[in-house]
Amino acid sequence: MANAAQVQRMSRLMIKTLRDDPADAETASHKLLVRAGYVRRSSAGIWTWLPLGKKVLENVSRIVREEMDAIGGQEVLLPALLPKEPYEASGRWEEYGDLLFRLKDRKGSDYLLGPTHEEIFTLTVKDQCTSYKDLPVILYQIQTKYRDEARPRSGVLRGREFQMKDSYSFDTTDEGLAQSYALHREAYQKIFQRLGLDYRIVSAVSGAMGGSASEEFLAPASAGEDTFVDCPSCDYAANTEAVTVKVAPVDGGAHGPVEELDTPDTPTIEALAEYLGVQASATLKNLLVKVDGEIVAVGVPGNREVDLGKLGEHLAPATVELVTAEDFVDRPDLVRGYVGPQGLAGKAFRYIADPRIAPGTAWITGANKEGRHAKNVVAGRDFEVDDYLDVVVVEPGDPCPKCGTGLKIDRAIEIGHIFQLGRKYADAFELDVLGQNGKPTRVTMGSYGIGVSRAVAALAEQTHDESGLCWPREVAPADVHVVAAGKAKQTELALEVGERLGAAGLRVLVDDRAGVSPGVKFTDAELLGVPTIVVAGRRAAEGVVEVKDRRTGEREEMTVEEAVARLSA
Ligand code: ATP
Ligand code: MG
């Protein structure tokens, strides 16, 4: 018996494909999802999911749901419209700044549209769980989230309204949290594998969420807004801000005494290197910053840049700011553009250096006098380093910390993020349960997100080709796209094939549109990206169709019987 629901006739499908890219679209997923009629822009960063798009979105959601259920997650649905108070209690009403959509009800009370739900889940568990026996618990939802992103772009990749799976774990012990985290990590691996996404797991710097262990799941794609380092020979991958580069120890060798040089008008490394005819890498650049208001100098080779994000992470919770002209007013010892650590490190400022400024290495650096530099300034002999920290912006070719091979830097889309939050939210809301010892025990939490709508765009980015979308089977809106390429005979055969494939349990799209040329139908089939295309064409009268693999382009003629047997196998 044919399962009618599995066979979608295109003559009855609301779909309008476009030949041209939308004017504002820069990325492939944005162009193709719009052109193929999967989504339409409603307003900036806000999207309508049309019938085929909704099917793909549902397929992604189903996979996420199945794997979350498999680790014991319980699905709930919390409101998206939330009162201000819990977000005030956690500090995020302020912290989120302009990212938060805020609104008032008719009585003038403040509300927000949820960007993520740590606060409300914490309160839900506080209400529902009272004893250690009620834990551990993993709760999740697949829900619409709202963030007033500064630059909503790339279609559904970065929306202001988007679908997220967010889950939260609640445990009484640190070991329990580690276990819940490990379960999520494995579930995520299964989810992304089933989705057919190429992904890497990288350790992340935990931002505004607060907390400790945190990893991101990145889908490499040129349209991505994240950069990450990837080792071409081992499995090492990391967020660019989280890389710690292993620097080989150097043999300092013998160096002559410090020698001062007259170098007029050379306040920048470029000017200095040109004036002396040396490589920038032979010079030592000293960047002055203020750490909690105190001046600190950061020494790096002249050809490298300081990564302020990395520096901030190393020095957190202290704040790091760049110095301004005012900071030099009462400091005649600091000569702007000509600062050197010799004589000053550890006295005039705390001196932080990149590990490349290893003991025994000699440098050309500022002489602490206007228009003068010094050469043969040797680390450990002429100045001491207070702290060696990895603070330079990572560059392609830097050694892999695991195997030493030169690293690559690639772009990627963040598709998932897992955090061990610890007790931050439990403390804010005094979430305790009765412990085994009869005393209140503070709960420890994890939070875990997957961009469900973003995953659709990430898949489109990774799998499309020049003709259109090219879905992996599990997320495709149909298994088979049958094209009636001709008149009545072809349409009749196409519908018959569709019915038989549907009866065999396959999801089928049949292009039975009248008055649409075979050429247009072929172009649309390529654009829509269903994994198998069956064409009822020239040899329809003989009961012969052509079966084509959308990805490889391989095609083969066979009888309808053979096609049905082959495709339903
Ligand atoms: P991003 O750095 O891309 O802004 P995020 O780190 O702020 O993301 P999380 O708070 O970790 O995002 O949210 C969990 C997941 O939700 C992300 O890993 C991402 O896949 C997805 N996501 C976040 N913001 C958006 C958005 N504006 N549009 C679509 N998906 C998003
Ligand atoms: Mg994130």
Side-chain angles (χ1 to χ4, degrees):
M1 247 283 291
N3 177 355
Q6 299 278 67
V7 180
Q8 171 70 58
R9 295 169 70 151
M10 273 183 76
S11 60
R12 296 177 195 161
L13 177 68
M14 186 182 77
I15 183 165
K16 190 171 83 186
T17 57
L18 306 175
R19 290 290 155 256
D20 296 318
D21 291 331
D24 58 338
E26 287 163 21
T27 58
S29 59
H30 185 177
K31 293 174 189 168
L32 293 172
L33 289 169
V34 170
R35 277 184 42 207
Y38 283 72
V39 299
R40 280 287 182 277
R41 181 179 176 278
S42 173
S43 61
I46 302 181
W47 292 84
T48 296
W49 291 81
L50 294 167
L52 292 186
K54 181 67 166 62
K55 280 191 203 291
V56 176
L57 190 63
E58 273 313 303
N59 289 338
V60 173
S61 302
R62 177 179 41 79
I63 291 171
V64 169
R65 205 170 258 131
E66 284 171 8
E67 298 302 337
M68 287 306 301
D69 290 345
I71 60 165
Q74 303 178 60
E75 186 169 6
V76 294
L77 184 58
L78 270 54
L81 181 58
L82 304 168
K84 170 179 77 167
E85 289 69 25
Y87 284 78
E88 253 189 342
S90 70
R92 293 209 290 187
W93 177 260
E94 292 293 329
E95 261 169 49
Y96 262 121
D98 289 339
L99 204 68
L100 213 54
F101 276 105
R102 300 156 208 262
L103 61 160
K104 285 190 191 297
D105 71 3
R106 63 169 75 202
K107 295 195 183 113
S109 308
D110 288 306
Y111 282 80
L112 65 134
L113 294 174
T116 173
H117 280 64
E118 281 73 7
E119 288 81 351
I120 314 300
F121 272 86
T122 308
L123 289 172
T124 303
V125 168
K126 189 177 162 81
D127 173 54
Q128 297 286 318
C129 302
T130 47
S131 153
Y132 72 94
K133 292 181 196 151
D134 298 332
L135 301 185
V137 91
I138 293 174
L139 300 175
Y140 77 95
Q141 62 178 350
I142 295 178
Q143 193 209 31
T144 307
K145 292 279 191 279
Y146 296 88
R147 294 182 186 180
D148 196 358
E149 299 279 359
R151 277 200 340 124
R153 59 178 283 275
S154 311
V156 297
L157 259 186
R158 180 174 297 284
R160 296 199 297 163
E161 176 182 280
F162 58 98
Q163 297 295 311
M164 196 203 288
K165 183 286 299 177
D166 47 329
S167 48
Y168 306 85
S169 65
F170 299 84
D171 284 273
T172 48
T173 62
D174 293 346
E175 299 72 50
L177 169 58
Q179 171 70 9
S180 297
Y181 183 88
L183 283 173
H184 273 88
R185 200 173 188 275
E186 281 163 33
Y188 276 36
Q189 288 175 284
K190 289 197 181 130
I191 289 166
F192 295 128
Q193 198 181 338
R194 281 181 68 186
L195 289 177
L197 273 169
D198 173 28
Y199 71 93
R200 305 276 190 289
I201 305 177
V202 304
S203 62
V205 278
S206 39
M209 288 273 193
S212 45
S214 145
E215 287 168 299
E216 288 173 354
F217 288 72
L218 300 181
S222 57
E225 290 177 75
D226 287 30
T227 52
F228 77 109
V229 297
D230 203 8
C231 178
S233 49
C234 76
D235 63 355
Y236 181 80
N239 193 298
T240 41
E241 291 197 356
V243 190
T244 7
V245 167
K246 193 165 64 191
V247 180
V250 290
D251 179 5
H255 300 290
V258 174
E259 202 182 309
E260 269 195 31
L261 309 169
D262 207 17
T263 54
D265 288 329
T266 56
T268 65
I269 293 292
E270 295 70 51
L272 175 67
E274 198 187 319
Y275 183 86
L276 294 177
V278 297
Q279 297 284 320
S281 58
T283 69
L284 169 59
K285 171 158 77 182
N286 302 287
L287 179 78
L288 297 180
V289 294
K290 277 188 296 178
V291 177
D292 276 351
E294 293 263 330
I295 290 199
V296 170
V298 184
V300 301
N303 61 331
R304 305 297 298 239
E305 294 302 324
V306 174
D307 185 328
L308 289 172
K310 262 189 184 179
L311 182 64
E313 283 286 326
H314 280 301
L315 303 178
T319 59
V320 178
E321 301 162 279
L322 289 173
V323 292
T324 61
E326 278 171 29
D327 297 308
F328 289 84
V329 172
D330 301 328
R331 295 292 302 261
D333 54 335
L334 302 179
V335 185
R336 255 196 138 167
Y338 299 93
V339 172
Q342 62 286 14
L344 295 184
K347 301 186 199 103
F349 45 67
R350 174 175 160 201
Y351 196 57
I352 293 174
D354 178 73
R356 291 170 184 84
I357 318 300
T361 52
W363 303 90
I364 299 168
T365 193
N368 300 308
K369 292 173 191 151
E370 186 70 33
R372 289 179 76 78
H373 281 85
K375 74 180 222 187
N376 290 333
V377 179
V378 177
R381 183 189 76 180
D382 303 314
F383 65 92
E384 293 299 326
V385 172
D386 295 306
D387 298 290
Y388 277 108
L389 297 177
D390 179 33
V391 291
V392 299
V393 173
V394 64
E395 285 179 11
D398 279 350
C400 169
K402 236 170 137 175
C403 74
T405 308
L407 293 167
K408 285 192 303 160
I409 299 189
D410 287 326
R411 299 193 76 79
I413 299 163
E414 181 190 318
I415 45 173
H417 201 159
I418 54 179
F419 278 99
Q420 291 194 27
L421 284 173
R423 297 184 170 79
K424 176 178 160 151
Y425 292 92
D427 284 343
F429 296 99
E430 299 183 334
L431 172 59
D432 296 326
V433 291
L434 201 61
Q436 226 159 343
N437 56 6
K439 297 201 182 104
T441 305
R442 186 107 324 162
V443 170
T444 182
M445 287 170 59
S447 95
Y448 318 87
I450 289 182
V452 171
S453 47
R454 179 178 285 185
V456 174
L459 266 173
E461 288 293 339
Q462 283 190 347
T463 59
H464 78 277
D465 61 17
E466 61 289 342
S467 315
L469 297 162
C470 208
W471 300 109
R473 192 168 298 272
E474 259 212 273
V475 299
D479 296 304
V480 185
H481 184 142
V482 186
V483 176
K487 298 252 154 50
K489 185 74 216 146
Q490 283 77 15
T491 305
E492 194 185 310
L493 186 66
L495 288 170
E496 183 198 328
V497 174
E499 285 304 315
R500 291 174 66 171
L501 291 171
L506 293 169
R507 300 164 303 144
V508 194
L509 190 62
V510 182
D511 194 348
D512 61 338
R513 290 175 297 176
V516 177
S517 74
V520 168
K521 287 183 180 175
F522 293 144
T523 307
D524 277 349
E526 300 282 313
L527 179 61
L528 294 189
V530 171
T532 304
I533 299 168
V534 173
V535 181
R538 271 187 312 114
R539 299 181 62 190
E542 303 160 57
V544 172
V545 293
E546 184 184 77
V547 177
K548 181 178 171 191
D549 184 296
R550 169 67 185 85
R551 175 166 302 285
T552 64
E554 271 168 50
R555 51 179 84 204
E556 204 183 322
E557 285 196 332
M558 60 187 81
T559 62
V560 168
E561 282 66 35
E562 282 171 328
V564 172
R566 172 100 54 109
L567 297 175
S568 51

